[in-house]
Amino acid sequence: MSNPPGFARFRADLRPVLGAATALVATTAIAATLLALGGHSPGAAFGALVRGAFGSWHNFVSVTLVQATPLLLTGLAVALAFRARVWNIGAEGQLHAGALAGVAVAVSLPLGSPFLVLPATLLAAAAAGALWAAVPAAMKTRMGVGEVITTLLMNFVALFLAQFLVQGPLRESRGALPQTDAIPAAAQLPVLIPGSRLHLGFLIGILIAVALWLYLARTPGGFRIRAVGASPRAAEVSGRFRTGPVIWRAFLASGAIAGLAGWIQISGITHRMYENLSPGWGYTAIAVALLARLHPLAAVLTAIVFGALSAGGAAMQREAGVPDAWVRGIEALVILAVLAVDRGLQAFSDKTAAGATSRRAETGTAAGRV
Amino acid sequence: MGSAARLQGATKRFGAVWALEGVDFELAPGEIHGLLGENGAGKTTLARVVAGLLTPEAGRVEIGGREVRLGSAAEARALGVAMVHQHFSLVPRFTGFENVVLFNAEAWTPHGGVRAGYRERIEARAAELGLPVELDVPVERMGVADRQRIEILKALMGETRVLLLDEPTAVLAPQEVEGLFAVLRRVAAAGTGIVLVAHKLDEVLAAADRVTVLRRGRWVLTREAAAVTARELADAMVGARSPGSGPRDAAGAGPRLEGAAGAGPSDDEQRRPPRHTPEPPIVAELRDVAAVSAGGAGLRGVSLAVRRGEILGIAGVGGNGQRTLAAVLAGLQAPDEGNAALPDEVGWIPQERDGEGLVNGFTIAENVALAVHVKGAYRKGVWFDWAAVEEAAAVLVGQMDVRSGAPGVAAGTLSGGNQQKMVAGREFLRSGELLVAESPTRGLDVKATVAVRERIRALAREGGRRPGIVLISADLDEILEQSDRIAVMVRGRLIPVPPEDHNPAAIGELMLAVRG
């Protein structure tokens, strides 16, 4: 029954990478088949996709990375929550709450200097996202209401609230379109690379990813989040701490990061709030987080993958005439493939590692590795 | 006469826990066969193997002389095996009638109706068995005894060769138990073999024709109920050896040191550690502590004192308040009454390894961190000092002899015994004052048991920081082998056992509250 520990560790480390790669290959194969069945040339379609995402400096920096930014932030939010076994499906709503708060502060407070406006708006967005997450957090910790439902429902509240505000109280002064006034220049995030659309928000996302990684791997607080995610009961009995505060912390931090995503998108790209600001980033974020096996640094890569998919999808539509629905379908396939491959690999390695005893070495997706 | 059911060499393990090890068992037609044993002895596992609900790793199951495919509940049912589970399997919203119909496919018409006359059949069967049942009341509005009768009736509607009842008396009042036994006798008289799983001795002796005792997943004895005393069964259950089966005193077990009230030293022991002139200080003390518990028994008027370097053994049948005692000692539950003087940090080896004592997916270092992550010595400012944690984990692995362990190895890959040694070492790291060990060798094989006991004893006996240890166990061998002083936990009370009574019979009697 004794395993060579070094090899086991190596294989365990390799598994997520292997899983992600297998998922991508499988998805590509299935997508190609479907495209062919739909009468499109898979070659042309994939060619357009790759060119659209990576074909030029402009495409990569100003389209792919720009698309990846809100996915990265919401993906990190989801990954953090899931690490604590908090199934936050509400990144979409928290994103909208953050966007609204950021815009409200930007257009209503005459702060002048960007050095005042940007921190103030970012703080407001984070606070609003955290507040949006606080409702399900309270319901979970105080009343035992499952957060999957509550966070999901809070999404609709946020979406309709945003709709109401941009059509009513926050409608632009011209009154023409259901959108807010443009935010003042001081509230706009500076461009990161001159001549591109890539803004400071991408860097903020990477900094948060690094910070989360350090937090989870190297601090007692992050360790508690991982312990609760791996086994709440063991955290109480052997860790001797209450899981409630840990769940609160994960919820609030997750909401705050998702809230930032919304405002950063406005501040860096759109400069206004309008209806349907997000094409569902908060949901795609779940795939971003899962494909990264809930690892913050890996989420940077997976966010870029999904950003590329989004950028390339648009190109596929333009150049190869593949409808948008196909692109969405492929995204969904990636999620399914990731889950299937991940579980399949896990079952396989359990069998080979534990032999006849079939002992599970890891418990669920929440026990990801840092 | 053939057998109703026969089990040969049944072996079943759950992860690292041996639930059954090569057990043979035979049930004769028309007999009531009591299956006795402590919690975790393997009684329920045995019943579930016979019913095909569990697939054993090895063994043979015969029903009515025909070998059945292991783990096939359908096949077992077709041959007439029915099981009444400890937690009933009834649909709460359905009436008694609907529940009986649901379980018996022969009652159904192809279009989802109930066959004409089936209700009359149920009523006739209930009358025949002497089972007063309410067929038109939803199960959720019935009392426990009524539910149990529905459950039994539902199992006995078809041809039943073997009826397995898992702890059927646990939920019943004494008068109801009598009624149940009367029904079982009638069922047996009609030729059905009945397995009655229980841990209350007197009840089994009152109802059963034969009795089998399991202990730690192994067969201990099978006897005619008329030819065995409660005392003998108690000894067999808790592990006192019958005469001639092994030299127990040569192994160093037996009565030990001073009594509960600090009685004078008994001079019949040669393997006593050197006696220090001043008594070691008291590390933990409870005085008249009462505490309620949500699940099992709470505590009532419990007093105890533990000195540095001694092992206080607490014997008792599981569920008599041991869990609450552990939680109070570990500081996780405040007493409702009385005083508790406890160290700031208390080590606790909890009963469940997986999910309580450790996290399978965490490395050994991470599991150690569970205990030390709040301690300053393992921090550098806001950061965890993982190097220090890994160093401590490496020392622990060596000290506790955790085989194939290293700080970076996932705890889930260790065997049960090595996991437990790791947990024990970690809890010692948490507190050098007081350690509470709750059934530390439950589910471990013989070798691992010896190794874990050795390590726990070494913690109390060796080195500079000798903690006081409270050893809670239903295993009398373990208590006698390890403890300096012994007390028995019965229904929330703690009864000290004087040194002259440090023998299996006397303690077993207290544990099971068997008088005479």
Side-chain angles (χ1 to χ4, degrees), chain A residues 36-86:
Chain A
L37 286 174
H40 307 281
S41 151
F46 283 128
L49 187 141
V50 171
R51 273 193 309 279
F54 305 105
S56 68
W57 173 251
H58 167 84
N59 284 2
F60 180 63
V61 172
S62 293
V63 187
T64 295
L65 291 188
V66 165
Q67 289 288 341
T69 300
L71 288 171
L72 171 58
L73 287 162
T74 49
L76 291 172
V78 170
L80 176 63
F82 280 21
R83 275 322 259 291
R85 217 179 263 217
V86 166

Side-chain angles (χ1 to χ4, degrees), chain B residues 349-419:
Chain B
I349 305 167
Q351 189 174 316
E352 303 290 334
R353 278 186 296 281
D354 182 5
E356 277 194 350
L358 54 84
V359 176
N360 269 337
F362 272 9
T363 63
I364 291 181
E366 285 171 324
N367 273 292
V368 168
L370 279 175
V372 303
H373 72 279
V374 284
K375 298 197 181 201
Y378 300 93
R379 286 201 188 184
K380 272 185 190 160
V382 300
W383 305 109
F384 230 135
D385 188 352
W386 275 112
V389 176
E390 291 193 356
E391 205 182 299
V395 170
L396 184 156
V397 163
Q399 221 169 39
M400 301 302 287
D401 190 26
V402 180
R403 302 283 164 84
S404 63
V409 168
T413 64
L414 299 174
S415 72
N418 285 309
Q419 290 181 340

Side-chain angles (χ1 to χ4, degrees), chain A residues 3 5 9 214 217-220 223-224 226-227 230-231 233-234 236-241 357 359-362, chain B residues 323 332 346 348 355-357 359-361 366 369-370 373-374 379 382-384 386 408-409 412 414 426-427 430:
Chain A
N3 300 314
R9 183 69 196 256
L214 287 173
R218 311 254 169 226
T219 71
F223 176 73
R224 287 190 169 191
R226 290 199 286 138
S231 170
R233 179 84 187 129
E236 275 174 1
V237 172
S238 291
R240 303 283 170 85
F241 59 86
T357 59
R359 203 186 300 117
R360 243 173 291 119
E362 276 182 57
Chain B
R323 205 92 249 256
L332 267 76
V346 178
W348 178 15
E356 277 194 350
V359 176
N360 269 337
E366 285 171 324
L370 279 175
H373 72 279
V374 284
R379 286 201 188 184
V382 300
W383 305 109
F384 230 135
W386 275 112
V409 168
L414 299 174
R426 183 197 63 202
E427 293 306 308
R430 187 199 300 274

Side-chain angles (χ1 to χ4, degrees), chain A residues 94-109:
Chain A
Q94 291 141 20
L95 175 147
H96 278 86
L100 286 170
V103 171
V105 169
V107 298
S108 60
L109 288 187

Side-chain angles (χ1 to χ4, degrees), chain B residues 82-100:
Chain B
M83 182 158 179
V84 173
H85 297 270
Q86 191 173 3
H87 305 285
F88 301 149
S89 46
L90 299 170
V91 182
R93 292 244 178 124
F94 281 14
T95 63
F97 174 67
E98 287 164 337
N99 268 291
V100 174

